[in-house]
Amino acid sequence: MPEAASATPAALKGSAAAAVLLMLFNEDEAAQILSRLEPDEVRQLGNAMYDVADVEVDEVNQALDHFVSKAKKRTTIGYGATQHIRGAMTKALGEERAETILARITPPTRSTQLEMLKWMDAKEIASLIEAEHPQIMAIVLAHLEAPVAADVLQLLPAEYQEEIVYRIATLGPVSNEALDDLEQLLMRGPATKKQGAASQRGGTVEAAAIMNNVRKDNEQRIIKALAKRDKMIAQTIEEEMFVFDNLIDMDDKNLGTLMRTVDSQVLVVALKGANEVLKAKIFACMSARAAQAIADEIEERGPIRLAEVIDAQKLIIGTARRMADAGTIMLGGKGNDFV
């Protein structure tokens, strides 16, 4: 029998291809590239570099071909643009007038010490701010990704947690001057004042995102304390923590239990504004006959006012919350909680 032809290795893509390219550079060149990446990107690329350590020659060539192909589609006009624009303005207008113009037109490129928080773990951040004012804690948490902010929140003193979430939810624009003061306080270093527009962080959406990553027992305690302080803020955060689209995170058993308690007319209106993936999941939790009846009625109803759809979805979410509080169903998204 003829000898089987050797299989061509699959082309490397994404982080694997990037890792191959990076390992072709010397240490200094690779370091310059890594220094421009975000922490998660560095971790992902670092893992990929170990995975491709014994990559074949053909795979290296494929990765290079892919890089060259993409590079040809790009121009170099953006590289060094800031320096080029500044130099041209200075030669044309003189240094003083150029600085005045550039101060007005240069996009904000604020590089703050707060960016260093992304490279720290939750324990380090909590230790850094645990003795500070709750407003400072709130601003720091508002600058973190929600899962990290939730971890930090739970490491801070319990008596401050409700206060911090409330301040995040009601946080208005934070001026650059205030951020400079915060950097000086956190890093214990000199701050150079910069004039500029305020930075908008926080709000009930961000507070809800953080609370969605907090353990269930802590979530209930914090929300209960928030409701005593400001019922409207607590309610808004709760509403944004679990919305109609989040039903897709429920498992089939719990979703089926919920659907059996929902009036069919309410469900028809609510599903009118749902995405097709969620519709399919809900229909799969029902009998084929019931699902077909709902689908037919949705088609027959024609256009429905958005306000009616939202009200119907809120009714179902309200039912879901009550059933979850009673322990009848689990809403999903926090499967790591056990009792």
Side-chain angles (χ1 to χ4, degrees):
M1 293 181 62
E3 195 172 323
S6 58
T8 302
L12 296 173
K13 296 181 180 179
S15 57
V20 169
L21 291 173
L22 195 63
M23 292 182 72
L24 296 176
F25 292 108
N26 62 41
E27 288 185 9
D28 291 339
E29 292 168 336
Q32 288 184 37
I33 295 172
L34 289 171
S35 68
R36 289 167 168 78
L37 302 179
E38 293 293 318
D40 287 343
E41 293 171 333
V42 173
R43 284 189 285 270
Q44 183 179 354
L45 196 52
N47 288 330
M49 289 169 74
Y50 278 106
D51 292 339
V52 300
D54 57 351
V55 67
E56 297 180 8
V57 173
D58 286 345
E59 292 174 301
V60 173
N61 290 334
Q62 289 171 355
L64 285 169
D65 289 343
H66 179 65
F67 172 75
V68 171
S69 176
K70 294 193 73 172
K72 285 180 178 178
K73 298 176 183 178
R74 295 177 179 268
T75 71
T76 58
I77 195 167
Y79 300 130
T82 300
Q83 185 176 357
H84 179 79
I85 294 169
R86 178 174 292 277
M89 286 279 190
T90 301
K91 288 181 179 179
L93 306 174
E95 188 170 347
E96 187 173 342
R97 289 175 63 194
E99 286 296 329
T100 301
I101 295 294
L102 288 167
R104 295 176 182 171
I105 67 172
T106 302
T109 56
R110 179 184 175 87
S111 176
T112 69
Q113 293 292 332
L114 288 173
E115 291 296 308
M116 292 181 62
L117 293 171
K118 293 191 295 186
W119 295 88
M120 301 168 65
D121 63 29
K123 288 183 179 179
E124 290 177 303
I125 298 172
S127 176
L128 188 65
I129 65 174
E130 64 182 353
E132 305 299 344
H133 191 279
Q135 183 71 3
I136 291 177
M137 297 179 183
I139 294 173
V140 170
L141 264 62
H143 280 79
L144 300 173
E145 293 296 324
V148 179
D151 289 342
V152 175
L153 177 67
Q154 294 173 101
L155 290 170
L156 294 172
E159 61 269 24
Y160 291 149
Q161 291 173 3
E162 168 262 327
E163 174 80 12
I164 294 167
V165 174
Y166 177 78
R167 288 177 180 270
I168 292 172
T170 58
L171 191 64
V174 182
S175 68
N176 280 339
E177 289 82 359
L179 289 176
D180 286 329
D181 289 338
L182 177 58
E183 288 178 3
Q184 186 176 22
L185 184 63
L186 290 177
M187 306 306 173
R188 299 297 190 268
T192 303
K193 294 290 183 181
K194 306 177 187 71
Q195 299 296 321
S199 173
Q200 178 64 59
R201 302 306 285 255
T204 53
V205 173
E206 194 151 350
I210 293 172
M211 290 300 296
N212 270 332
N213 287 276
V214 169
R215 283 203 329 265
K216 190 68 178 178
D217 56 339
N218 287 334
E219 173 204 313
Q220 292 174 338
R221 173 178 54 78
I222 293 170
I223 290 293
K224 186 176 180 180
L226 273 172
K228 291 181 179 179
R229 168 193 282 256
D230 192 319
K231 188 174 181 180
M232 186 64 71
I233 287 288
Q235 182 178 337
T236 303
I237 290 175
E238 276 197 296
E239 288 176 353
E240 288 167 346
M241 284 174 64
F242 191 80
V243 295
F244 193 72
D245 285 348
N246 293 138
L247 292 178
I248 203 167
D249 295 326
M250 295 177 65
D251 61 36
D252 293 345
K253 181 180 178 181
N254 285 293
L255 186 57
T257 302
L258 171 62
M259 288 300 110
R260 286 192 289 274
T261 69
V262 176
D263 182 271
S264 62
Q265 292 305 308
V266 173
L267 184 57
V268 166
V269 177
L271 288 181
K272 191 70 176 179
N275 66 63
E276 294 303 319
V277 177
L278 178 55
K279 277 185 189 176
K281 181 171 178 114
I282 289 176
F283 286 155
C285 294
M286 306 166 66
S287 68
R289 182 177 178 181
Q292 189 59 55
I294 294 292
D296 290 343
E297 192 162 353
I298 290 173
E299 287 296 321
E300 293 170 4
R301 285 292 296 268
I304 300 176
R305 291 176 59 237
L306 180 60
E308 293 181 49
V309 173
I310 293 174
D311 286 343
Q313 292 180 351
K314 284 184 176 180
L315 280 175
I316 295 175
I317 291 303
T319 300
R321 283 205 193 93
R322 288 191 295 274
M323 293 178 70
D325 290 341
T328 309
I329 62 172
M330 292 182 63
L331 295 181
K334 295 188 180 178
N336 292 328
D337 292 328
F338 296 92
V339 292

